[in-house]
Amino acid sequence: MLNRNKQKFDIFLPVIDETFSLEETINIIEKHCSKAISQYFIVLSKTKSKQKSKNISYKLKLKYRDKIKIIYQKQSFIGGAIKIAIQNIKASHFILMASDLETNPNDVKKLIINSKNNPNKIIVANRWLEKNSFKGYNLIKLFLNKLFQYFFSKLYSVSLSDLTFAYRVYPSKLIKRFILEENRHPILLETVLIPIKLGINFIEIPSKWNSRKEGNTNNSFFRNFAYILTGFRIFFSEKNKLIK
């Protein structure tokens, strides 16, 4: 088992139009978990990231120096951002989250504690474990989300009830082996269904979701239906075609 003191975390933070949300996210994590964090990967798009977001990213780089690694993605969309971040991982573990405060940065401490106690497992933040965990979530989308979670958790025969909330800790050696095909938001489902298919164990912790306070979502309502295709593709895939 990995020595707890040697267990470090790289954090993925994709940035398009976030400013104060990104700054607050990093400041909160530094306040509670600074010693455990190796680097923050601020992933920018040369064409889509707003200049104000780039400015705040470089401001944070000046403040936290080597702890901030600014990366410009080469492939498009959130999939391109995640893939290039994975290529840059050097820490023992990798935290997948957002920079818009929809993933509560105060919960990073809980994720890290659980990961240190269970270094070979994936730690998953789950919005459905407690009541009233969604604030500002569209009611129709929430209902469809619940149906989706129920159907695919039954299909894959897992108790995990939040397959699309991209707030997780992965052992780095594991996520580096995933063969990721998605480029848009279904990659957030792909990164949880591949380990489920492989029989990797998960630990869930409760987490609340709040709608973003700035910027716009880059995942339209109708694009959410693409998740269904991803779910079935991985279900019918052979295991050796999902991992290197």
Side-chain angles (χ1 to χ4, degrees):
M1 181 177 288
L2 184 68
N3 186 309
R4 287 169 58 93
N5 295 325
K6 292 184 179 180
Q7 194 168 338
K8 298 292 183 181
F9 300 80
D10 285 334
I11 299 183
F12 169 71
L13 293 170
V15 176
I16 297 296
D17 50 15
E18 296 81 7
T19 57
F20 66 82
S21 298
L22 171 65
E23 188 169 19
E24 184 174 344
T25 294
I26 293 178
N27 287 342
I28 288 173
I29 298 171
E30 279 296 293
K31 180 180 179 181
H32 299 297
C33 313
S34 181
K35 291 182 179 180
I37 308 304
S38 177
Q39 284 192 309
Y40 298 90
F41 296 154
I42 297 179
V43 183
L44 300 171
S45 166
K46 289 183 179 179
T47 57
K48 291 188 175 181
S49 295
K50 306 298 183 184
Q51 187 59 49
K52 61 181 181 180
S53 300
K54 293 177 182 178
N55 292 343
I56 200 71
S57 299
Y58 283 99
K59 174 186 172 184
L60 289 164
K61 173 71 173 174
L62 288 174
K63 180 178 180 179
Y64 291 112
R65 299 181 181 276
D66 291 343
K67 265 203 165 180
I68 303 289
K69 186 178 182 66
I70 295 176
I71 306 169
Y72 280 90
Q73 61 189 89
K74 297 176 182 177
Q75 295 178 288
S76 301
F77 311 117
I78 186 66
I82 290 175
K83 290 170 189 176
I84 199 165
I86 291 172
Q87 292 173 14
N88 280 272
I89 296 173
K90 291 184 179 178
S92 63
H93 288 73
F94 179 67
I95 299 179
L96 186 67
M97 62 182 299
S99 58
D100 56 13
L101 298 175
E102 288 186 355
T103 51
N104 185 353
N106 289 291
D107 288 338
V108 168
K109 184 177 181 179
K110 291 191 294 182
L111 288 166
I112 287 175
I113 290 172
N114 277 273
S115 183
K116 286 193 171 186
N117 290 330
N118 304 275
N120 296 316
K121 295 183 179 181
I122 298 172
I123 315 300
V124 178
N126 189 322
R127 300 164 292 182
W128 296 97
L129 291 180
E130 295 180 349
K131 293 182 178 180
N132 302 316
S133 291
F134 293 84
K135 186 176 180 181
Y137 206 95
N138 179 278
L139 291 178
I140 295 175
K141 189 176 178 181
L142 185 65
F143 174 72
L144 293 174
N145 186 311
K146 184 64 175 178
L147 284 180
F148 178 93
Q149 308 293 348
Y150 178 81
F151 176 82
F152 278 98
S153 63
K154 293 297 182 183
L155 180 66
Y156 280 81
S157 300
V158 291
S159 60
L160 183 61
S161 58
D162 202 342
L163 302 169
T164 55
F165 191 37
Y167 197 10
R168 312 175 191 125
V169 182
Y170 294 86
S172 298
K173 290 182 179 179
L174 176 64
I175 197 168
K176 284 182 176 182
R177 296 183 64 200
F178 294 171
I179 298 175
L180 300 172
E181 296 185 9
E182 302 294 340
N183 290 317
R184 292 184 180 270
H185 279 72
I187 195 172
L188 308 178
L189 176 65
E190 186 180 30
T191 47
V192 76
L193 291 184
I194 288 176
I196 287 174
K197 180 85 173 182
L198 297 172
I200 306 297
N201 291 322
F202 290 79
I203 291 177
E204 300 175 86
I205 67 165
S207 184
K208 296 184 182 295
W209 182 95
N210 286 290
S211 59
R212 58 164 63 221
K213 295 180 175 64
E214 63 173 334
N216 300 302
T217 179
N218 291 284
N219 187 37
S220 69
F221 177 80
F222 290 104
R223 280 183 183 159
N224 288 309
F225 291 97
Y227 283 67
I228 297 171
L229 298 177
T230 302
F232 282 116
R233 173 180 65 80
I234 295 172
F235 183 78
F236 290 109
S237 294
E238 297 177 11
K239 292 181 180 180
N240 62 1
K241 293 184 178 180
L242 298 173
I243 197 163
K244 300 171 188 175

